[in-house]
Amino acid sequence: MEEGKNQDLLDLLKRAAENDEAARAELLKRGREWVNEVITTEFAQSGFSHEELFHSGYLGLLSAVYNADLSRGKDFFTYARNIIRGEIRQY
């Protein structure tokens, strides 16, 4: 089952790289849980509201989806988490 999810994610990333807006929208929809995960595991005690942190993290997710470079062979989830973290830290 996990392999099927990974293949589906890879297909979405390839379509997004070809400027498929529906694929990007689906990646952003799925990525919301990644943003929430980063917030709850790393920034829960930051003193900022979840909503404020979510907005910053979502900007990171947008950046990751629109700027992903599949030719580098890196895991998208790891890349996206790092971009999300960076945006929240800048906040």
Side-chain angles (χ1 to χ4, degrees):
M1 186 70 170
E2 187 69 30
E3 185 176 317
K5 285 183 179 181
N6 287 338
Q7 186 59 43
D8 186 38
L9 180 62
L10 187 58
D11 291 341
L12 281 172
L13 287 166
K14 287 178 182 176
R15 288 179 31 219
E18 296 168 353
N19 295 320
D20 182 336
E21 291 300 320
R24 285 180 174 158
E26 180 63 24
L27 285 167
L28 292 171
K29 180 180 171 186
R30 291 183 186 189
R32 288 178 178 199
E33 65 186 66
W34 298 343
V35 174
N36 283 321
E37 182 182 322
V38 169
I39 292 168
T40 57
T41 59
E42 299 179 37
F43 297 97
Q45 304 299 322
S46 68
F48 294 101
S49 74
H50 183 85
E51 184 178 358
E52 291 173 309
L53 296 174
F54 184 84
H55 286 289
S56 295
Y58 195 77
L59 289 175
L61 178 62
L62 281 168
S63 178
V65 168
Y66 277 83
N67 298 311
D69 184 2
L70 298 177
S71 67
R72 299 185 81 176
K74 300 291 182 183
D75 178 50
F76 176 74
F77 176 72
T78 302
Y79 169 72
R81 272 183 74 104
N82 287 332
I83 301 298
I84 291 166
R85 266 191 212 116
E87 284 295 327
I88 293 172
R89 284 182 183 138
Q90 284 183 348
Y91 177 73

